[in-house]
């Protein structure tokens, strides 16, 4: 895995879209890649100057904060560069860790979050409060990776499908609840790429760092509502006219997954 091109640094994987992967040691011997994404906040209009507004999709695990901040500094190197929004796919600890540090460093930045995810990052609500359709989550939710942050309400922008926001021409907010009540995906419109958080994962290949797609849904043990999580994948696949590439947060493949691969995995006739 140490030959990952974007290990601990942002690499431009599509025009205007950068990916950085940091390895999260969940416990002894359990290593999980966690990708975060930087998006240039312009509309890629011909002839216009590069924008200095930046958007981040997810902010990694708490133990990754220093590495992520250094990686962001390398891209946002111009004195005018500003991080404007931290767009959260969901509140789990490995997707929200650097948010407080980034809000402190960039006083003008705000957090974009689904309305139903906000209590987990602002009010300390626990995922144990979720009712589930699986015994696995009902049993294991006490070990769920809770958010470890408290974001001030005034630093958030809550969205639902169709709500307008400042950079909607670049990054479209797509509700994909199931893994958590307010899970969301972000469609980078100019490059037809969608960042889906944990709605789809690609880490089960053996060896773990192989590039062969081994696609799965989210982890059952940390997924609040499995039926809705499957509907979320249906919804992502229904965007086929606007999407070529799916970028899961947990994936050793820097190029993401072509939507056709996810289609093969998630063929309803293969589903139980
Ligand atoms: Zn995750």
């Amino acid at each position: 895995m140490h030959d990952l091109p974007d290990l601990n640094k942002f690499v431009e994987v599509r025009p205007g879209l950068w990916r950085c992967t940091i390895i999260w040691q969940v416990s002894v011997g359990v290593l999980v890649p966690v990708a975060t994404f930087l998006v240039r906040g312009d509309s890629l209009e011909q002839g216009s100057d590069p924008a200095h507004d930046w958007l981040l999709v997810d902010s990694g695990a708490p133990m990754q904060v220093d590495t992520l901040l250094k990686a962001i500094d390398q891209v946002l190197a111009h004195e005018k560069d500003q991080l404007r929004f931290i767009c959260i796919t969901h509140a789990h600890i490995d997707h929200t860790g650097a948010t407080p540090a980034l809000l402190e460093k960039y006083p003008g930045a705000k957090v974009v979050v689904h309305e139903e995810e906000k209590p987990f990052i602002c009010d300390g609500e626990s995922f144990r409060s979720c009712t589930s359709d699986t015994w696995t989550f009902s049993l294991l939710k006490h070990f769920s990776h809770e958010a470890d942050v408290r974001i001030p309400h005034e630093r958030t922008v809550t969205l639902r499908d169709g709500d307008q926001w400042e950079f909607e021409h670049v990054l479209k907010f797509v509700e994909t609840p199931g893994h958590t009540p307010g899970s969301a995906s972000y469609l980078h419109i100019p490059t037809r790429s969608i960042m889906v958080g944990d709605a789809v994962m690609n880490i089960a290949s053996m060896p773990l760092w192989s590039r062969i797609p081994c696609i799965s849904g989210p982890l059952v043990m940390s997924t609040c509502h499995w039926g809705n999580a499957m509907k979320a994948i249906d919804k992502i696949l229904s965007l086929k006219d606007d999407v070529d590439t799916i970028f899961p947060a947990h994936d050793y493949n820097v190029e993401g997954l072509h939507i056709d691969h996810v289609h093969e995995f998630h063929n309803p006739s293969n589903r139980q």
Side-chain angles (χ1 to χ4, degrees), residues 105-130:
K105 182 166 181 180
Y106 297 96
K110 290 198 166 185
V111 175
V112 173
V113 64
H114 188 288
E115 197 178 4
E116 290 191 32
E117 204 72 356
K118 189 174 170 180
F120 302 105
I121 61 164
C122 291
D123 307 325
E125 188 165 321
S126 166
F127 287 105
R128 293 175 198 181
S129 66
C130 299

Short mmCIF file of all heavy atoms in Angstrom, two decimals, residues 105-130:
data_model
loop_
_atom_site.label_atom_id
_atom_site.label_comp_id
_atom_site.label_asym_id
_atom_site.label_seq_id
_atom_site.Cartn_x
_atom_site.Cartn_y
_atom_site.Cartn_z
N LYS A 105 -8.41 26.98 11.84
CA LYS A 105 -7.41 27.51 10.91
C LYS A 105 -8.03 28.42 9.85
O LYS A 105 -7.42 29.38 9.40
CB LYS A 105 -6.69 26.34 10.24
CG LYS A 105 -5.60 26.78 9.30
CD LYS A 105 -4.70 25.63 8.91
CE LYS A 105 -3.61 26.16 7.98
NZ LYS A 105 -2.70 25.12 7.56
N TYR A 106 -9.26 28.08 9.43
CA TYR A 106 -9.95 28.88 8.40
C TYR A 106 -11.24 29.45 9.00
O TYR A 106 -12.30 28.84 8.91
CB TYR A 106 -10.27 28.01 7.18
CG TYR A 106 -9.04 27.47 6.48
CD1 TYR A 106 -8.56 26.19 6.77
CD2 TYR A 106 -8.35 28.24 5.55
CE1 TYR A 106 -7.43 25.69 6.14
CE2 TYR A 106 -7.22 27.75 4.91
CZ TYR A 106 -6.76 26.47 5.22
OH TYR A 106 -5.64 25.99 4.60
N PRO A 107 -11.15 30.65 9.61
CA PRO A 107 -12.30 31.19 10.36
C PRO A 107 -13.53 31.43 9.47
O PRO A 107 -14.64 31.50 9.98
CB PRO A 107 -11.77 32.52 10.91
CG PRO A 107 -10.29 32.41 10.86
CD PRO A 107 -9.96 31.51 9.71
N GLY A 108 -13.33 31.52 8.14
CA GLY A 108 -14.48 31.74 7.26
C GLY A 108 -15.13 30.44 6.79
O GLY A 108 -16.14 30.48 6.08
N ALA A 109 -14.55 29.30 7.17
CA ALA A 109 -15.05 28.03 6.65
C ALA A 109 -16.31 27.57 7.40
O ALA A 109 -16.50 27.89 8.57
CB ALA A 109 -13.97 26.95 6.79
N LYS A 110 -17.15 26.84 6.68
CA LYS A 110 -18.34 26.24 7.28
C LYS A 110 -18.43 24.76 6.92
O LYS A 110 -17.77 24.31 5.98
CB LYS A 110 -19.60 26.96 6.82
CG LYS A 110 -19.71 28.36 7.40
CD LYS A 110 -21.13 28.89 7.29
CE LYS A 110 -21.28 30.11 8.19
NZ LYS A 110 -22.64 30.61 8.24
N VAL A 111 -19.24 24.05 7.67
CA VAL A 111 -19.40 22.62 7.46
C VAL A 111 -20.74 22.37 6.76
O VAL A 111 -21.78 22.82 7.24
CB VAL A 111 -19.39 21.86 8.81
CG1 VAL A 111 -19.67 20.38 8.61
CG2 VAL A 111 -18.05 22.07 9.51
N VAL A 112 -20.70 21.69 5.61
CA VAL A 112 -21.92 21.26 4.93
C VAL A 112 -22.27 19.88 5.43
O VAL A 112 -21.43 18.97 5.42
CB VAL A 112 -21.72 21.24 3.40
CG1 VAL A 112 -22.94 20.62 2.71
CG2 VAL A 112 -21.48 22.65 2.87
N VAL A 113 -23.50 19.72 5.88
CA VAL A 113 -23.91 18.43 6.45
C VAL A 113 -25.40 18.24 6.21
O VAL A 113 -26.17 19.21 6.15
CB VAL A 113 -23.55 18.38 7.96
CG1 VAL A 113 -24.31 19.43 8.75
CG2 VAL A 113 -23.75 17.01 8.56
N HIS A 114 -25.81 16.98 6.06
CA HIS A 114 -27.24 16.66 5.94
C HIS A 114 -27.94 17.02 7.25
O HIS A 114 -27.38 16.83 8.33
CB HIS A 114 -27.38 15.16 5.65
CG HIS A 114 -28.77 14.73 5.32
ND1 HIS A 114 -29.77 14.66 6.26
CD2 HIS A 114 -29.32 14.32 4.15
CE1 HIS A 114 -30.89 14.23 5.68
NE2 HIS A 114 -30.64 14.02 4.40
N GLU A 115 -29.15 17.53 7.09
CA GLU A 115 -29.93 17.96 8.24
C GLU A 115 -30.00 16.87 9.34
O GLU A 115 -29.88 17.16 10.52
CB GLU A 115 -31.35 18.26 7.73
CG GLU A 115 -32.20 19.08 8.63
CD GLU A 115 -33.55 19.36 7.98
OE1 GLU A 115 -33.84 18.85 6.88
OE2 GLU A 115 -34.32 20.07 8.61
N GLU A 116 -30.16 15.62 8.92
CA GLU A 116 -30.33 14.56 9.91
C GLU A 116 -29.01 14.06 10.48
O GLU A 116 -28.99 13.24 11.40
CB GLU A 116 -31.11 13.38 9.29
CG GLU A 116 -32.55 13.75 9.06
CD GLU A 116 -33.40 12.56 8.70
OE1 GLU A 116 -33.13 11.45 9.18
OE2 GLU A 116 -34.35 12.76 7.92
N GLU A 117 -27.90 14.53 9.93
CA GLU A 117 -26.59 14.13 10.46
C GLU A 117 -26.08 15.16 11.47
O GLU A 117 -25.18 14.86 12.27
CB GLU A 117 -25.59 13.99 9.30
CG GLU A 117 -24.42 13.07 9.57
CD GLU A 117 -24.81 11.58 9.62
OE1 GLU A 117 -25.99 11.27 9.51
OE2 GLU A 117 -23.90 10.76 9.80
N LYS A 118 -26.67 16.34 11.41
CA LYS A 118 -26.18 17.44 12.24
C LYS A 118 -26.14 17.12 13.74
O LYS A 118 -25.17 17.46 14.42
CB LYS A 118 -27.05 18.68 11.98
CG LYS A 118 -26.53 19.94 12.61
CD LYS A 118 -27.38 21.11 12.18
CE LYS A 118 -27.04 22.34 12.97
NZ LYS A 118 -27.86 23.49 12.58
N PRO A 119 -27.18 16.45 14.32
CA PRO A 119 -27.11 16.19 15.77
C PRO A 119 -25.88 15.39 16.18
O PRO A 119 -25.39 15.56 17.31
CB PRO A 119 -28.39 15.36 16.03
CG PRO A 119 -29.31 15.72 14.91
CD PRO A 119 -28.42 15.98 13.72
N PHE A 120 -25.35 14.57 15.28
CA PHE A 120 -24.20 13.73 15.64
C PHE A 120 -22.90 14.54 15.69
O PHE A 120 -21.98 14.17 16.41
CB PHE A 120 -24.05 12.56 14.65
CG PHE A 120 -25.27 11.69 14.57
CD1 PHE A 120 -26.11 11.76 13.48
CD2 PHE A 120 -25.58 10.82 15.61
CE1 PHE A 120 -27.24 10.96 13.41
CE2 PHE A 120 -26.71 10.02 15.56
CZ PHE A 120 -27.55 10.10 14.45
N ILE A 121 -22.81 15.61 14.91
CA ILE A 121 -21.57 16.39 14.94
C ILE A 121 -21.70 17.67 15.77
O ILE A 121 -20.70 18.27 16.14
CB ILE A 121 -21.04 16.75 13.53
CG1 ILE A 121 -22.04 17.60 12.73
CG2 ILE A 121 -20.63 15.52 12.76
CD1 ILE A 121 -21.40 18.27 11.53
N CYS A 122 -22.94 18.09 16.05
CA CYS A 122 -23.12 19.34 16.81
C CYS A 122 -23.54 19.10 18.26
O CYS A 122 -23.15 19.86 19.15
CB CYS A 122 -24.17 20.22 16.15
SG CYS A 122 -23.68 20.89 14.56
N ASP A 123 -24.35 18.09 18.48
CA ASP A 123 -24.98 17.95 19.80
C ASP A 123 -24.54 16.71 20.56
O ASP A 123 -25.08 16.42 21.62
CB ASP A 123 -26.51 17.88 19.62
CG ASP A 123 -27.04 19.05 18.80
OD1 ASP A 123 -26.48 20.16 18.94
OD2 ASP A 123 -27.99 18.86 18.02
N GLY A 124 -23.60 15.96 20.00
CA GLY A 124 -23.12 14.78 20.71
C GLY A 124 -24.09 13.62 20.70
O GLY A 124 -23.97 12.70 21.52
N GLU A 125 -25.08 13.65 19.81
CA GLU A 125 -26.01 12.51 19.74
C GLU A 125 -25.24 11.25 19.36
O GLU A 125 -24.31 11.30 18.54
CB GLU A 125 -27.13 12.78 18.73
CG GLU A 125 -28.20 11.71 18.78
CD GLU A 125 -29.48 12.13 18.07
OE1 GLU A 125 -29.87 13.31 18.16
OE2 GLU A 125 -30.08 11.26 17.40
N SER A 126 -25.65 10.13 19.94
CA SER A 126 -24.95 8.87 19.70
C SER A 126 -25.67 8.05 18.63
O SER A 126 -26.91 8.06 18.55
CB SER A 126 -24.90 8.07 21.01
OG SER A 126 -24.53 6.74 20.74
N PHE A 127 -24.90 7.31 17.86
CA PHE A 127 -25.50 6.41 16.88
C PHE A 127 -26.26 5.26 17.56
O PHE A 127 -27.03 4.57 16.92
CB PHE A 127 -24.45 5.88 15.90
CG PHE A 127 -24.01 6.93 14.92
CD1 PHE A 127 -22.78 7.55 15.03
CD2 PHE A 127 -24.84 7.31 13.88
CE1 PHE A 127 -22.39 8.53 14.15
CE2 PHE A 127 -24.46 8.29 12.97
CZ PHE A 127 -23.23 8.91 13.11
N ARG A 128 -26.04 5.10 18.85
CA ARG A 128 -26.81 4.09 19.59
C ARG A 128 -28.30 4.43 19.58
O ARG A 128 -29.15 3.58 19.83
CB ARG A 128 -26.34 4.03 21.04
CG ARG A 128 -24.94 3.51 21.16
CD ARG A 128 -24.46 3.58 22.60
NE ARG A 128 -23.01 3.49 22.63
CZ ARG A 128 -22.29 3.51 23.75
NH1 ARG A 128 -22.88 3.62 24.91
NH2 ARG A 128 -20.99 3.42 23.69
N SER A 129 -28.62 5.70 19.32
CA SER A 129 -30.03 6.11 19.32
C SER A 129 -30.76 5.66 18.05
O SER A 129 -31.98 5.74 17.97
CB SER A 129 -30.13 7.64 19.44
OG SER A 129 -29.57 8.25 18.27
N CYS A 130 -30.01 5.15 17.06
CA CYS A 130 -30.63 4.77 15.78
C CYS A 130 -31.36 3.45 15.93
O CYS A 130 -30.82 2.49 16.49
CB CYS A 130 -29.56 4.61 14.70
SG CYS A 130 -28.64 6.11 14.38
#
